[in-house]
Amino acid sequence: MAKVRHSRFDCTPGCSVEAAIGLIDGKWKAIILWHLLAGTLRFNEIRRQVQSCTPRMLTNQLRELEDDGLITRKVYAQVPPKVEYSLSELGLSMAPILRSLKAWGDANIGLYGKPLGHDPRDLQPGGSA
Amino acid sequence: MAKVRHSRFDCTPGCSVEAAIGLIDGKWKAIILWHLLAGTLRFNEIRRQVQSCTPRMLTNQLRELEDDGLITRKVYAQVPPKVEYSLSELGLSMAPILRSLKAWGDANIGLYGKPLGHDPRDLQPGGSA
DNA sequence: CAGGATCCCACTGGATACTG
DNA sequence: CAGTATCCAGTGGGATCCTG
């Protein structure tokens, strides 16, 4: 990671499990990555997918993801502004993690009384947040 | 989850990605689960594997994992006390997630200047934290 | 051995208002 | 549209000491 903005990495050296979760912690990162798995999105498009995330937090999380090299930020010099976020190679390489998270959630979320729509689209990023 | 001790679950209903990460957030849970994947461990055995986790936090995280149904706590009525922690069925079902996290970390941790031992034992839980 | 209790502070993150 | 700025509450989590 470029700047160690988040100090959550004090595990013993060489702990790859911590390394990985350290990048997708922070309440929104995993879902953001998940949605970007479906393709490039603009700022407000992400907001719409992750409604309960405030603009401030969204910016924050996107910046950390960018600093960690997981996503790419492309700014179009125009008015009104247009900024596109997409997964980098490294971000794409996290797909297995994201999919296993999704798969587990799909299989087990019902146990917690949380009804799951089982909407087929849910199996693809871009579905409900 | 039994008691919603941790309030981190305010995503839109049906978000299975959030559901899954919500259970393994909290700085230590993923590593604890990882180590338990290798088999039953006692309190201080876990402490040794996750040195930088204080007893208080370890208790805390273990309790949450237990409340979430991911681990099982077996207390032996004896002196000195003996408590064993092991993965429940549900906890075991998270193995794919944990393994994908580990795999990703192994493949990419080097990019961050964190040297990786590439110790073969690292591929199995029970190795270095 | 396996924790519980208490103190305390840093950071997380929400609400709201403003801007290029 | 895509953020920034500021204020502020809640809590995550460390340090330390105590106990059945």
Side-chain angles (χ1 to χ4, degrees), chain B residues 11-32:
Chain B
C11 187
T12 44
C15 175
S16 35
V17 176
E18 269 258 341
I21 52 149
L23 297 182
I24 61 170
D25 69 352
K27 205 167 188 171
W28 305 114
K29 292 189 188 177
I31 322 96
I32 294 173

Side-chain angles (χ1 to χ4, degrees), chain A residues 10-24:
Chain A
D10 45 5
C11 186
T12 44
C15 175
S16 36
V17 176
E18 269 258 342
I21 51 149
L23 297 182
I24 60 170

Side-chain angles (χ1 to χ4, degrees), chain A residues 1 15 18 27 93 112 129, chain B residues 1 15 18 27 31 104 112 129:
Chain A
M1 53 198 94
C15 175
E18 269 258 342
K27 205 167 193 174
S93 73
Y112 300 90
Chain B
M1 52 201 89
C15 175
E18 269 258 341
K27 205 167 188 171
I31 322 96
W104 190 91
Y112 299 91

Side-chain angles (χ1 to χ4, degrees), chain B residues 30-111:
Chain B
I31 322 96
I32 294 173
L33 290 174
W34 171 257
H35 286 294
L36 287 179
L37 214 58
T40 298
L41 289 175
R42 300 180 57 176
F43 188 83
N44 278 338
E45 287 175 336
I46 302 178
R47 281 201 64 187
R48 246 164 274 138
Q49 306 267 9
V50 196
Q51 303 100 321
S52 41
C53 182
T54 63
R56 195 181 80 96
M57 275 314 296
L58 185 53
T59 304
N60 193 344
Q61 303 278 286
L62 287 170
R63 286 288 185 280
E64 291 196 4
L65 289 170
E66 191 189 358
D67 287 348
D68 288 341
L70 296 176
I71 65 173
T72 303
R73 182 165 176 266
K74 186 187 288 184
V75 183
Y76 293 84
Q78 63 181 46
V79 176
K82 175 179 173 182
V83 180
E84 285 183 346
Y85 294 91
S86 52
L87 292 183
S88 67
E89 283 262 330
L90 192 60
L92 263 171
S93 73
M94 300 198 73
I97 298 179
L98 299 171
R99 291 197 209 284
S100 63
L101 284 170
K102 182 70 164 66
W104 190 91
D106 283 340
N108 298 102
I109 199 173
L111 298 177

Side-chain angles (χ1 to χ4, degrees), chain A residues 6-126:
Chain A
H6 36 65
S7 56
R8 311 173 56 99
F9 201 142
D10 45 5
C11 186
T12 44
C15 175
S16 36
V17 176
E18 269 258 342
I21 51 149
L23 297 182
I24 60 170
D25 69 354
K27 205 167 193 174
W28 305 113
K29 292 190 189 178
I31 321 97
I32 294 173
L33 290 175
W34 172 257
H35 286 294
L36 287 179
L37 214 56
T40 299
L41 288 175
R42 299 180 57 175
F43 188 84
N44 279 337
E45 288 175 335
I46 303 178
R47 280 200 65 187
R48 247 164 273 137
Q49 306 268 10
V50 196
Q51 303 99 320
S52 42
C53 182
T54 63
R56 195 180 79 94
M57 275 313 296
L58 185 53
T59 304
N60 192 345
Q61 303 277 286
L62 286 170
R63 286 288 185 280
E64 292 196 4
L65 288 171
E66 192 189 358
D67 287 349
D68 288 341
L70 296 175
I71 66 173
T72 303
R73 183 166 175 266
K74 186 187 288 182
V75 183
Y76 293 83
Q78 63 181 46
V79 177
K82 175 178 172 181
V83 181
E84 285 183 344
Y85 295 91
S86 52
L87 291 184
S88 65
E89 285 263 329
L90 192 60
L92 262 171
S93 73
M94 300 198 74
I97 297 178
L98 299 172
R99 290 197 209 283
S100 62
L101 283 169
K102 182 70 164 64
W104 190 93
D106 283 341
N108 298 101
I109 197 173
L111 299 177
Y112 300 90
K114 306 261 179 188
L116 180 62
H118 276 305
D119 183 335
R121 286 176 302 118
D122 257 18
L123 292 171
Q124 241 36 263

